[in-house]
Amino acid sequence: NAGVTQTPKFRILKIGQSMTLQCTQDMNHNYMYWYRQDPGMGLKLIYYSVGAGITDKGEVPNGYNVSRSTTEDFPLRLELAAPSQTSVYFCASAPGRDPYQETQYFGPGTRLLVL
Amino acid sequence: GQQLNQSPQSMFIQEGEDVSMNCTSSSIFNTWLWYKQEPGEGPVLLIALYKAGELTSNGRLTAQFGITRKDSFLNISASIPSDVGIYFCAGKITGNQFYFGTGTSLTVIP
C-alpha cells in the first residue's frame, strides 16, 4: 500500500509554461483534494472531488484545473504558470464514508517554483 | 475564506513539559481536526472532533471541541523530542471544505 503518491517532487517552471501535477491513491478512497501551502501558512484548498467525474472548487481555484476520470487519479493542471503559484502542493484523499470520511491522508507534496 | 487563528505561533519547551495550543474562529464549525506536519512531509491527522464539548485523546495528545463551536484546543503531555513539528488545526462548517489555521511550530529542547 503506497497511500497517496505525488509526482514530481520538485519542479521549476518559467512564467507562462504549463504543467500537470500528478496524484494517485491506492486506498480506493472516494474523496480527493488539492491544497497549496505557502511559506509559514496553513493549507488552502484549491479543488476537491467526491468521486470519479465530480469535481468542485475550493477556496483558491483560479489558475488551476482538475479532472477525475478514475477513482485513483486526480491530476492538477496549471495552464499559464505565474510567480504567485510558487508554492508546495499537497494532494490528499479520504474514504468519504462514515465514520472516517474526514480522515484525509496526505501525499508528500510537490514543490513548485515559477520564475 | 474563513480565518482560523492559531496561537501561539511558535513554542520552545523543555523535554517533559506539557504543551497547550488553541485555534479560534469567528465562525461556527461542525468539525475540528488537528494535524502534525514534519519538515518535507504532508500533514498527518492526529485527532478528529465532531461534537461541541467533545474531549478526545490519542496517546499523550488530548484535543477538545470548544463549547461555543468557534474554538478548539490541543494539549500534549510530557513532551518528547519527536513531538517537534508544526501543528495545524482545520475546521469544517458544512460540505466538504476544510479551512486550515496558520500553524503552531513546536520545538522541544532535550
Side-chain angles (χ1 to χ4, degrees):
Chain A
N1 239 358
V4 180
T5 57
Q6 291 183 238
T7 56
K9 287 191 170 133
F10 178 66
R11 181 80 183 264
I12 299 174
L13 277 184
K14 293 183 180 175
I15 294 171
Q17 285 186 322
S18 61
M19 78 166 291
T20 299
L21 283 67
Q22 301 291 347
C23 176
T24 300
Q25 53 94 6
D26 62 0
M27 297 174 282
N28 199 32
H29 284 172
N30 292 322
Y31 291 9
M32 294 187 76
Y33 310 80
W34 273 106
Y35 291 91
R36 60 177 287 172
Q37 184 177 33
D38 297 330
M41 302 294 288
L43 283 75
K44 290 195 181 294
L45 183 64
I46 305 172
Y47 271 96
Y48 67 96
S49 168
V50 298
I54 306 169
T55 62
D56 211 343
K57 295 179 181 178
E59 195 177 354
V60 289
N62 291 344
Y64 307 94
N65 277 302
V66 293
S67 59
R68 183 104 181 265
S69 56
T70 67
T71 300
E72 296 78 20
D73 300 305
F74 191 39
L76 177 72
R77 179 86 180 157
L78 283 71
E79 290 294 348
L80 289 169
S84 61
Q85 293 178 305
T86 293
S87 191
V88 181
Y89 291 84
F90 288 101
C91 177
S93 71
R97 296 181 296 275
D98 287 336
Y100 305 111
Q101 67 175 63
E102 318 294 9
T103 306
Q104 295 183 31
Y105 296 83
F106 282 81
T110 293
R111 281 149 184 79
L112 178 65
L113 179 61
V114 182
L115 299 174
Chain B
Q2 296 295 324
Q3 186 92 358
L4 292 184
N5 300 308
Q6 275 189 254
S7 64
Q9 280 190 323
S10 61
M11 304 179 75
F12 293 81
I13 61 167
Q14 294 283 342
E15 183 177 355
E17 288 184 356
D18 296 344
V19 173
S20 291
M21 60 186 79
N22 66 69
C23 189
T24 60
S25 169
S26 57
S27 300
I28 290 175
F29 283 81
N30 290 322
T31 302
W32 285 99
L33 306 177
W34 284 93
Y35 286 88
K36 179 187 177 187
Q37 185 178 28
E38 298 185 17
E41 313 236 338
V44 174
L45 182 66
L46 300 172
I47 294 177
L49 302 160
Y50 298 102
K51 291 191 295 190
E54 182 180 351
L55 191 70
T56 298
S57 292
N58 178 5
R60 293 177 296 103
L61 278 63
T62 301
Q64 184 163 25
F65 194 138
I67 293 290
T68 66
R69 296 169 64 192
K70 293 183 178 181
D71 52 13
S72 181
F73 311 89
L74 177 69
N75 294 314
I76 305 173
S77 63
S79 59
I80 59 178
S82 62
D83 290 332
V84 165
I86 301 177
Y87 291 79
F88 290 100
C89 63
K92 185 176 77 167
I93 300 174
T94 58
N96 299 297
Q97 187 158 188
F98 279 93
Y99 298 93
F100 280 73
T102 51
T104 292
S105 174
L106 178 64
T107 301
V108 179
I109 303 165

